[in-house]
């Protein structure tokens, strides 16, 4: 929700006439959002002022009356009354009242998406304010013009306008305006991909709103703050803030604001996987929107519920709510929303095997698109038609639809580009035009690499938002059909690990140096600008499809084209500048030949790519590469991995059921790879496989765990292998161990763990409790010491740059807040050869908690440490039982004396397996080693 200021004139100080008193009472009611009462008081004030010839009060009352209609969505009435007030002021030469009238009419034009007219009116507002030396009016117009500039995609100009308004508001000590300027700066920061900045602005906005007793503004700021927290993946904080916003709106009977924040809160719960709570909140918002007569919003709530039911697989319930949404939007005359409903229903009926009903809804969507003649509607329709034809195995029909819509798709943005080219590639492949299919597939993958936000088609959200990996999988399958296994391997490797890359720029970097990270951040910032501009175009066309502001859309199109050209230039420069290390962030080309050259004898690399209906796999050695596949769907694979983890966590049984499930997964994932006698396996997982303890897979033929016959190490991407091995230097030799246990009171066994390390290693340094600060850990990481951290790991799947290790804090230092976050790790020059993260799920993200945020390999703390310079990182898939963690650490560091980390990890796993107390895979299979795995020996001096 954007915050505008709509009324800046007060009654003349000292005026005690009845009409002036009524005006002041009406204004006070307006500020309290009691618009009906305000309108009655203002009408009385106007009537009284007309009788006494008080033209200034008449003009003010008319202006503020128009604003009551504006606040309640009655734009026609607001405009008529506002124009009447302006005419009166011009006729009577009431110069000091002109700015308020221009401002109100500008707000109406802005809300009706007549942006070019709105900017002209706000420029007149500014001229009138300057002419009359009205500082308050200057602040007001700075806020409102900034909103128009935001909608026009002129983000830098908008920020300047808001900042100037903020400075003026503080100078004249107007807390209400100060709060508004800060709120809009926060809103703009969220839009431009800087949610951390947004939080700073929005937290600062709340106190001035409270000082001014401006409840509406406070509710808005809290709602925006919740959105910013959600953008950072800090969903707990987002939910707390949004709950506060909802309660405050309820207390003041601000029904519309309550509904809006309920919707944001519902989306937050949906993100964390609490679909039942999300459905309930959308139902509450729907009821309020029905009560206050916001039919279009009510229908949108119904459609959101349909989308959730669809994602849950409840297609009948999804259909019921989608049909309700359609009926609601049709009754309200909201054709654009009805168009989205038809698209959703067409896809639902198609999934349900009801082709005739799907065709009917697609035809209705086509009719609306033709009436609206909006480009975004035509793009959505083409993609929906092509998608249904693809599902029906009608490749010629797919190509016909895409060819017919070629011009619209060409300017539809990177999001529509990858979807259309993926569909084109699939159709061409079905017709056995493999060369052309491969070319289309490469275009699709290139476009995927340029999509960086959740913006995109609301109409197609339920179908396309989850799995962009489809573009990679399609190209991989085409290349395999052509017999080009090496290139297929390279494409599959490029499909993973993009989450860190996509979040670059979400935090301010402390250094202005032109590092590879800074260059990547610049590139990502341009992509976010492109996404934001594309979303603004869609917003403009969606407001009034029959009469969009063509001048504003043309300006947005020009800015979008310029941003794309700027990005293309950065891409060309980047191809020459990026060092190999950026492969650890998901950027940079994979060379299958380079990966193969970096491999050791007796070593096999297994890479997986999970698609909708199967798992594609590659097995590489120094001499060969072959592909294989497992006939299991993404959903079934996730269910099996989830089951395996659940059975491993149950220590009450004999493990028979767990072994059966692990054996089945071995048959699917390992047996077809034919790894033979390879002593070491390098595994590059994907999707749900990121959560699978590979070491515990059971070979049915031998009834042995995988780790009994193979040392297992992990990599975030195959492209990282030559990079890490090139820089491996054997610095583990004689390295000292520094072990940290910051929360020994809450996690008493972490003391046992670090003491076990001290007992087995010579000259180990153990740091416990309050002394185990973030600053102390930072210092250790920059030394040539092995760093062992026994603490909480907090994963953030939504914004992995803010995944963190919890440590003790030192209040006197801002960089020592006890949260060592990924973006901070990326900035460190880490010299530690081995980092051991012994904590809760330090090796994976929280996507495991929900089926709605899957589809990516979630960037881990391990990946960030590798990028920053560590050679090896040990991390855990789950929180290991305390005594078992101590036993594992003791075994690992004992073995590290004479073997490398890969061998030491595998040896510790085997040792615990042979110990009756810890033989269950729960105690040892959750440990993973990420890194190069170079052969060295003599690492840690061990106290005998």
């Amino acid at each position: 929700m954007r915050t505008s200021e709509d009324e800046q004139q007060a009654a003349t100080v000292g005026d005690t006439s009845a009409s002036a008193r009524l005006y002041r009472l009406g204004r006070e009611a307006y500020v309290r959002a009691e618009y009906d009462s305000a309108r009655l008081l203002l009408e009385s004030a106007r009537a009284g002022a007309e009788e006494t010839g008080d033209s200034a009060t008449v003009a003010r009352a008319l202006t503020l009356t128009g604003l009551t209609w504006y606040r309640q969505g009655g734009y026609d009435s607001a405009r008529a009354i506002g124009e009447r007030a302006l005419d009166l002021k011009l006729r009577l030469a009431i110069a000091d009242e002109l700015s308020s009238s221009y401002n109100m009419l500008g707000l109406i034009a802005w809300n009706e998406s007549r942006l070019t007219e709105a900017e002209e009116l706000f420029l007149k507002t500014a001229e009138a304010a300057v002419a009359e030396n009205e500082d308050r009016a200057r602040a007001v117009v700075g806020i409102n013009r900034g909103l128009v500039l935001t909608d026009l995609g002129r983000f830098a100009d908008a920020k300047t306008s808001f900042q100037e308004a903020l400075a003026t508001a503080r100078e004249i000590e107007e807390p209400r305006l100060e709060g508004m300027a800060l709120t809009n700066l926060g809103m703009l920061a969220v839009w431009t991909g800087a949610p951390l900045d947004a939080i700073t602005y929005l937290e600062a906005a709340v106190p001035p709103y409270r000082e001014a007793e401006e409840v509406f503004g406070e509710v808005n700021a809290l709602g925006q703050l919740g959105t910013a927290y959600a953008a950072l993946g800090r969903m707990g904080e987002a939910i707390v803030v949004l709950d506060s916003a909802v309660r405050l709106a309820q207390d003041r009977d601000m029904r519309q604001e309550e509904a809006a924040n309920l919707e944001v809160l519902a989306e937050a719960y949906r993100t964390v996987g609490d679909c039942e709570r999300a459905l309930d909140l959308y139902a509450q918002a729907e009821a309020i929107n029905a009560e206050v007569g916001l039919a279009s919003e009510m229908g949108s709530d119904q459609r959101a519920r349909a989308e959730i039911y669809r994602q849950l697989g409840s297609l009948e319930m999804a259909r019921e709510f989608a049909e309700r949404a359609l009926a609601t939007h049709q009754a309200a005359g909201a054709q654009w929303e009805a168009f989205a409903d038809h698209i959703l229903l067409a896809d639902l009926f198609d999934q349900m095997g009801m082709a005739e009903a799907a065709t009917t809804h697609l035809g209705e969507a086509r009719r609306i698109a033709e009436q609206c003649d909006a480009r975004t509607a035509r793009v959505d329709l083409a993609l929906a038609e092509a998608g249904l034809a693809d599902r029906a195995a009608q490749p010629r029909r797919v190509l016909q639809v895409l060819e017919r819509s070629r011009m619209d798709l060409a300017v539809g943005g990177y999001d529509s580009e990858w979807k259309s080219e993926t569909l084109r590639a699939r159709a061409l492949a079905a017709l056995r035009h493999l060369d052309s299919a491969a070319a289309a597939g490469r275009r699709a993958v290139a476009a995927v690499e340029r999509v960086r936000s959740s913006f995109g088609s609301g109409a197609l959200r339920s179908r396309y938002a989850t799995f962009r990996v489809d573009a990679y999988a399609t190209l991989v399958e085409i290349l395999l059909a052509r017999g080009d296994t090496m290139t297929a391997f390279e494409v599959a490797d490029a499909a993973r690990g993009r989450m860190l890359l996509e979040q670059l720029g979400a935090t301010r970097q402390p250094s202005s140096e032109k590092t590879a990270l800074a260059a990547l951040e610049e590139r990502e910032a341009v992509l976010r600008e492109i996404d934001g501009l594309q979303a603004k175009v869609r917003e403009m066309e969606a407001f009034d499809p029959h009469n969009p502001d063509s001048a504003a859309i043309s300006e947005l199109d020009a800015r979008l084209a310029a941003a794309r050209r700027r990005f293309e230039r950065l891409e060309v420069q980047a191809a020459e500048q990026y060092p190999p290390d950026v492969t650890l962030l998901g950027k940079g080309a994979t060379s299958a030949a380079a990966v193969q050259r970096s491999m050791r004898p007796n070593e096999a690399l297994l890479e997986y790519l999970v698609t909708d209906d199967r798992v594609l796999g590659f097995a590489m050695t120094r001499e060969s590469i072959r592909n294989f596949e497992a006939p299991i769907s993404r959903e079934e694979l996730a269910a099996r991995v989830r089951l395996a983890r659940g059975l491993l966590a149950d220590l009450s049984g004999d493990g028979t059921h767990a072994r059966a499930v692990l054996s089945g997964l071995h048959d699917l994932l390992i047996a077809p790879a034919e790894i033979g006698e390879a002593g070491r396996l390098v595994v590059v997982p994907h999707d749900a496989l990121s959560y699978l303890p590979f070491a515990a897979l059971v070979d049915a033929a031998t009834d042995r765990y995988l780790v009994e016959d193979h040392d297992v190490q992990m990599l975030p991407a195959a492209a990282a292998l030559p990079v890490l091995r090139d820089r491996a230097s054997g610095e583990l030799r004689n390295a000292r161990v520094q072990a940290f246990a910051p929360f020994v009171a809450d996690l008493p066994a972490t003391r046992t763990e670090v003491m076990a390390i001290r007992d087995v290693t010579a000259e180990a340094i153990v740091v416990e409790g309050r002394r185990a600060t973030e600053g102390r850990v930072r210092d250790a990481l920059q030394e040539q010491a092995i760093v062992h951290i026994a603490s909480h790991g907090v994963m953030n799947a939504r914004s992995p740059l803010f995944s963190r290790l919890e440590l003790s804090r030192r209040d006197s230092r801002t960089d020592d807040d006890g949260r060592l976050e990924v973006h901070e790790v990326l900035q460190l020059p880490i010299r530690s050869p081995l980092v051991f993260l012994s904590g809760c799920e330090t090796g994976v993200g929280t996507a495991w908690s929900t089926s709605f945020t899957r589809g990516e390999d979630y960037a881990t703390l391990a990946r960030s440490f590798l990028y920053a310079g560590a050679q090896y990182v040990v991390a855990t898939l789950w929180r290991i039982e305390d005594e078992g963690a101590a036993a594992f650490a003791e075994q690992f560091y004992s073995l590290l004396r004479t073997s490398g980390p890969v061998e030491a990890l595998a040896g510790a796993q085997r040792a615990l397996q042979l110990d009756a107390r810890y033989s269950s895979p729960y105690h040892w299979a959750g440990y993973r080693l990420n890194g190069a795995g170079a052969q060295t020996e003599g690492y840690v001096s061990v106290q005998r």
Side-chain angles (χ1 to χ4, degrees), residues 600-778:
R600 307 287 187 252
N602 198 32
E603 184 175 61
L605 182 146
L606 301 181
E607 170 133 13
Y608 298 93
L609 183 66
V610 179
T611 73
D612 277 342
D613 59 356
R614 53 185 161 163
V615 176
L616 302 176
F618 296 87
M620 175 183 280
T621 67
R622 291 186 71 175
E623 296 80 23
S624 65
I625 181 172
R626 58 181 301 273
N627 66 285
F628 59 93
E629 62 180 60
I632 185 171
S633 70
R634 174 183 279 114
E635 297 295 337
E636 177 62 21
L637 178 67
R640 288 211 201 178
V641 173
R642 197 182 291 272
L643 176 61
R645 287 171 59 105
L647 290 171
L648 289 178
D650 182 7
L651 300 178
S652 61
D654 61 3
T656 301
H657 294 304
R659 290 183 75 88
V661 174
L662 293 167
S663 177
L665 287 167
H666 183 284
D667 289 344
L668 282 168
L669 303 170
I670 304 299
E674 300 178 6
I675 55 178
E677 299 299 322
R680 176 182 294 171
L681 298 183
V682 180
V683 180
V684 184
H686 181 237
D687 203 271
L689 297 180
S690 298
Y691 307 93
L692 178 65
F694 275 83
L697 297 183
V698 177
D699 186 340
T702 63
D703 198 34
R704 289 167 64 85
Y705 292 114
L706 188 66
V707 75
E708 291 186 76
D709 299 311
H710 309 275
D711 299 341
V712 182
Q713 71 179 90
M714 314 301 291
L715 276 180
L721 186 66
V723 174
L724 292 170
R725 285 189 170 166
D726 283 348
R727 77 184 188 196
S729 61
E731 292 176 354
L732 273 167
R733 186 182 303 277
N734 298 320
R736 171 179 292 180
V737 178
Q738 294 196 45
F740 296 86
F743 304 114
V744 291
D746 297 331
L747 302 171
T750 58
R751 171 173 285 167
T752 306
E753 182 176 340
V754 295
M755 289 304 179
I757 296 170
R758 189 173 67 176
D759 289 343
V760 78
T761 62
E763 300 180 357
I765 297 174
V766 172
V767 185
E768 301 178 30
R770 293 173 61 87
R771 296 185 301 118
T773 63
E774 178 188 348
R776 186 82 178 263
V777 170
R778 283 171 177 266

Side-chain angles (χ1 to χ4, degrees), residues 12 142 153 252 296 360 439-440 526 541 888 904:
T12 304
R252 299 304 179 94
S296 183
T360 298
V526 177
E541 292 188 338
F888 190 92

Side-chain angles (χ1 to χ4, degrees), residues 853-877:
T853 51
R854 64 195 188 285
E856 296 280 1
D857 287 331
Y858 290 100
T860 63
L861 286 167
R863 173 175 290 213
S864 66
F865 281 101
L866 289 173
Y867 173 82
Q871 289 182 45
Y872 307 93
V873 181
V874 177
T876 50
L877 286 172

